[in-house]
Amino acid sequence: MRGLFMAIAKLDPRIVEYGKAHKKVYRSIYSAIERYDRIVIFRHIKPDFDAMGSQMGLYTFLKDNFPNKEIHYVGDNHISFTPRVFPETETLPNDWFKGGNFLAIIVDVGDHERIADPRYKHAKYKIKIDHHPCKGEIAKRASLVDTESAAAAELVADVLLNWKGKFISQEAAHYLYIGIVGDSGRFLYSSTSPHTFAVAEALVSTGFNLSSTYQTMYEKNLDSLKSLGYVLSHFSVSPHGVAYYCLPSSVQEELHITPILGKEHVNTFSNIAGINAWCSITEDPQPKDYCWRISIRSKSKDISGVAQKWGGGGHAQASGARIDSLKDLDAFIQDLDKLFVD
Ligand code: AMP
């Protein structure tokens, strides 16, 4: 798929305008990429479609347009996305990073602790492209952060589409599209804007196979169906419409799932009348970081403040949080529930 290059006939004015508004940072990004021959792309831990889509889209674009540069992508793999949707991530030895003579491009992550490989710190120059609220400076000289953007992949794609003389292959476009579809909830969340659609259209116009892209993203297996059955018969709803389900380790074992799949069915509640927010609460027995991981989604109200209060963060309608024990569950649900008292 990578070999197919399609020049995008005419850029949508929204893309052109966005590029103009961010001209200075775009120039810094382009010139740093031109200058460095060794480049590594980083993203957040426990990756989702957007983290991997923006990483792999950018990686593929750079490989296509700069065949003589050494380009890598690193980070933890995902239990079901790799290698089904994205290739396994690379393992680079520590020696590779020695001396710091490389460019680190960090996508879809707002704070240091969540970057999936700490060796980005050694880079002589860093670029950040993200849509999370900033929690500490990562790239002083070249940082494109737009918290209004539906996906980091939307921003990465805008940067690449505006780069004159460069081409987006079908493969690069396919990955970036996955990122946008993933983080916009298939163009459902309120963060989806006319710019999101303009970028998506430009990517689709490269001619990658849209239906096989969706098929790859959303393919399920029978275990997944069984865990959906569990969720549907064990969820609770708070007085003001917060739906939630808990998946203790013992249940995960029975269902043949691991903690990263705990949130798989969280959006089952997205179109239910009377449900304002919904969350999955998944026991994660990691020896050094035991907790119950929470994925929170909301129909309209901003839930990121509650997520921050409970050890996490994220976006208005999709955030992550944690509790150390189920003793805190009621207090957490009450905090969310209060958002919906008229
Ligand atoms: P999740 O529920 O893990 O899919 O996360 C939903 C969104 O919130 C994603 O954009 C995550 O990157 C973000 N997020 C999750 N956990 C955190 C955290 N601890 N700090 C900041 N953002 C987070």
Side-chain angles (χ1 to χ4, degrees), residues 44 48 114 132 135 183 263 295 297 311-315 318-320:
H44 66 73
D48 52 16
R114 300 193 76 236
H132 293 90
K135 279 198 201 159
D183 251 31
K263 64 180 173 184
S295 283
R297 306 291 183 261
H315 311 285
S319 281

Side-chain angles (χ1 to χ4, degrees), residues 99-142:
N101 188 23
F102 69 95
L103 168 69
I105 310 182
I106 299 141
V107 295
D108 195 33
V109 51
D111 55 284
H112 294 272
E113 301 80 55
R114 300 193 76 236
I115 301 178
D117 187 321
R119 294 175 297 180
Y120 74 92
K121 286 180 188 147
H122 303 302
K124 275 212 176 109
Y125 198 94
K126 300 180 193 83
I127 292 171
K128 179 171 114 159
I129 304 175
D130 184 32
H131 69 142
H132 293 90
C134 270
K135 279 198 201 159
E137 195 168 64
I138 292 174
K140 215 186 307 176
R141 286 171 292 175

Side-chain angles (χ1 to χ4, degrees), residues 154-176:
E154 178 182 336
L155 296 173
V156 171
D158 194 284
V159 170
L160 304 183
L161 287 162
N162 272 297
W163 200 343
K164 295 212 168 59
K166 302 285 183 276
F167 294 93
I168 299 197
S169 64
Q170 289 185 352
E171 184 179 354
H174 151 91
Y175 286 134
L176 291 167

Side-chain angles (χ1 to χ4, degrees), residues 87-342:
E88 301 261 349
T89 45
E90 295 182 283
T91 40
L92 280 182
N94 285 338
D95 275 356
W96 195 95
F97 295 87
K98 270 195 187 145
N101 188 23
F102 69 95
L103 168 69
I105 310 182
I106 299 141
V107 295
D108 195 33
V109 51
D111 55 284
H112 294 272
E113 301 80 55
R114 300 193 76 236
I115 301 178
D117 187 321
R119 294 175 297 180
Y120 74 92
K121 286 180 188 147
H122 303 302
K124 275 212 176 109
Y125 198 94
K126 300 180 193 83
I127 292 171
K128 179 171 114 159
I129 304 175
D130 184 32
H131 69 142
H132 293 90
C134 270
K135 279 198 201 159
E137 195 168 64
I138 292 174
K140 215 186 307 176
R141 286 171 292 175
S143 200
L144 173 67
V145 178
D146 183 351
T147 54
E148 309 265 289
S149 184
E154 178 182 336
L155 296 173
V156 171
D158 194 284
V159 170
L160 304 183
L161 287 162
N162 272 297
W163 200 343
K164 295 212 168 59
K166 302 285 183 276
F167 294 93
I168 299 197
S169 64
Q170 289 185 352
E171 184 179 354
H174 151 91
Y175 286 134
L176 291 167
Y177 188 81
I178 288 178
I180 294 173
V181 169
D183 251 31
S184 68
R186 304 190 214 176
F187 306 104
L188 185 86
Y189 301 153
S190 64
S191 53
T192 306
S193 68
H195 178 267
T196 317
F197 283 113
V199 169
E201 186 200 1
L203 296 173
V204 171
S205 73
T206 61
F208 67 84
N209 186 328
L210 202 55
S211 60
S212 84
T213 297
Y214 283 119
Q215 180 67 30
T216 315
M217 285 179 79
Y218 296 112
E219 187 179 83
K220 304 270 186 245
N221 58 24
L222 281 176
D223 280 339
S224 160
L225 215 55
K226 283 182 195 149
S227 61
L228 175 62
Y230 180 88
V231 167
L232 290 176
S233 45
H234 290 84
F235 69 91
S236 308
V237 182
S238 76
H240 298 96
V242 178
Y244 58 100
Y245 62 88
C246 294
L247 290 169
S249 295
S250 55
V251 170
Q252 293 172 43
E253 215 169 293
E254 264 170 48
L255 296 171
H256 306 126
I257 60 168
T258 56
I260 200 157
L261 287 178
K263 64 180 173 184
E264 193 186 7
H265 301 298
V266 70
N267 280 326
T268 303
F269 303 94
S270 61
N271 291 315
I272 310 296
I275 301 295
N276 299 311
W278 45 100
C279 20
S280 61
I281 297 148
T282 310
E283 188 171 13
D284 187 346
Q286 281 184 53
K288 282 195 200 141
D289 190 27
Y290 176 91
C291 71
W292 291 72
R293 294 198 184 280
I294 307 179
S295 283
I296 320 166
R297 306 291 183 261
S298 142
K299 223 174 237 171
S300 56
K301 286 228 166 121
D302 186 344
I303 35 91
S304 62
V306 173
Q308 275 162 27
K309 176 177 170 188
W310 290 92
H315 311 285
Q317 288 172 284
S319 281
R322 54 183 286 157
I323 50 176
D324 294 332
S325 131
L326 275 190
K327 282 189 203 136
D328 293 330
L329 179 62
D330 286 349
F332 166 75
I333 295 294
Q334 271 167 29
D335 275 350
L336 266 184
D337 191 72
K338 275 186 220 148
L339 293 178
F340 303 102
V341 178
D342 289 329

